């Protein structure tokens, strides 16, 4: 009975934590796109990124942060 009550009242906090992590990751992805987009082509070339890869890299990082299966590995 105690576990049922604890689980019943715990899910809103778990949901809030998940939403907070997703918002922070989304904000970080937008910042990454903005910062990398501000670089010149030769600066991007120096770090091994083409202009077409910027959004893909930001999205990949977002998925790595949000994916619960990777917690502790990334």
């Amino acid at each position: 009975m105690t576990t049922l009550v604890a689980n019943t009242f715990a899910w809103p906090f778990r949901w809030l934590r998940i939403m907070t992590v997703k918002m922070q990751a989304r904000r970080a992805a937008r910042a990454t796109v903005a910062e990398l987009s501000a670089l010149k082509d030769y600066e991007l070339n120096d770090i091994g990124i083409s202009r077409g890869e910027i959004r893909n890299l930001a999205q990949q990082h977002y998925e790595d942060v949000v994916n619960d299966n990777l917690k502790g590995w990334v």
Side-chain angles (χ1 to χ4, degrees):
M1 181 69 175
T2 306
T3 305
L4 178 63
V5 172
N7 287 339
T8 302
F9 291 111
W11 75 265
F13 299 109
R14 191 174 23 242
W15 180 82
L16 185 61
R17 187 181 71 232
I18 291 168
M19 288 298 114
T20 302
V21 168
K22 285 184 178 185
M23 283 188 345
Q24 290 172 345
R26 200 172 303 127
R27 198 173 299 134
R30 281 195 308 264
T32 299
V33 169
E35 289 178 20
L36 289 176
S37 295
L39 295 176
K40 306 275 190 238
D41 286 336
Y42 68 89
E43 294 171 326
L44 288 172
N45 192 28
D46 285 345
I47 58 175
I49 299 173
S50 69
R51 194 156 297 279
E53 294 176 307
I54 292 174
R55 290 198 184 275
N56 187 31
L57 289 172
Q59 180 64 29
Q60 183 180 12
H61 178 68
Y62 170 80
E63 290 171 2
D64 289 345
V65 170
V66 173
N67 190 351
D68 286 332
N69 295 328
L70 297 176
K71 295 292 182 196
W73 294 96
V74 177

